[in-house]
Amino acid sequence: MNDTLRVVRILEGTSVDGPGLRTSLYLAGCAHRCPGCHNSHTWPFDSGQDMTIDRIMETIRYNGFNVTLSGGDPLYQAAALLPLAKAIKDEGYTLWCYTGFEYEDIDDPDMLALLAYVDVLVDGPYVEALRDTSLRFRGSSNQRLIDMQATSRAGSVVEYKY
């Protein structure tokens, strides 16, 4: 089992990647390459540095905030993220995840396994023409906040209400 992730940045105490103060983990790699993306520096899969899951968990524990996976697109590192997601949930934190994939198009087994640990999935590519600064926790109006636990129970997408 690989116990490292390719991390561009860990942002401690942010309030833009979900409710309350959060520890946001910006992961390397994104093939979506959405025009106007504010994280284009995370697109290269070799950007950032390797970090162990233990080191990442130390930072999460130190801050005591809930966690957001962003990037890049975390789903490209889904298999490697599974042990981290499990540890995050085992310690009682909520977990949000941003992806450029649309939920209905995700069929990769590792990605689906990761989503089982996610509380809220912010899905869909950033579309510059649909940019809306009045939206909370997302950049364009096509993106959804999906309540993953309710979606799993319902068998269809249930949007998160904050």
Side-chain angles (χ1 to χ4, degrees):
M1 175 174 59
N2 186 353
D3 70 340
T4 62
L5 295 164
R6 195 73 186 176
V7 177
V8 175
R9 180 178 186 194
I10 298 178
L11 188 58
E12 303 171 46
T14 182
S15 61
V16 298
D17 295 331
L21 292 177
R22 305 186 73 80
T23 298
S24 287
L25 182 63
Y26 290 85
L27 295 146
C30 186
H32 304 294
R33 300 186 176 269
C34 303
C37 173
H38 72 279
N39 286 341
S40 59
H41 64 284
T42 66
W43 292 352
F45 286 85
D46 62 351
S47 61
Q49 62 184 354
D50 287 333
M51 289 187 74
T52 66
I53 289 170
D54 287 341
R55 175 66 187 101
I56 295 166
M57 281 306 299
E58 286 174 17
T59 302
I60 291 168
R61 285 185 200 107
Y62 173 79
N63 289 298
F65 303 136
N66 290 313
V67 180
T68 298
L69 304 175
S70 191
D73 190 325
L75 296 190
Y76 287 110
Q77 293 190 57
L81 275 166
L82 284 170
L84 177 64
K86 182 180 182 325
I88 289 167
K89 295 305 293 178
D90 284 350
E91 294 199 22
Y93 299 105
T94 65
L95 182 60
W96 280 43
C97 181
Y98 284 77
T99 183
F101 293 101
E102 291 181 356
Y103 173 71
E104 292 83 357
D105 296 333
I106 299 169
D107 60 3
D108 176 271
D110 290 327
M111 292 180 183
L112 292 169
L114 176 62
L115 293 183
Y117 292 104
V118 171
D119 295 291
V120 175
L121 180 69
V122 183
D123 83 327
Y126 171 74
V127 178
E128 200 166 20
L130 299 176
R131 181 176 187 247
D132 185 344
T133 58
S134 71
L135 297 171
R136 292 187 69 195
F137 312 129
R138 58 200 187 276
S140 59
S141 60
N142 63 298
Q143 296 172 311
R144 301 174 293 181
L145 304 177
I146 301 174
D147 181 327
M148 291 304 297
Q149 308 312 314
T151 294
S152 179
R153 288 189 302 272
S156 61
V157 171
V158 176
E159 293 203 33
Y160 172 78
K161 305 293 182 210
Y162 49 87

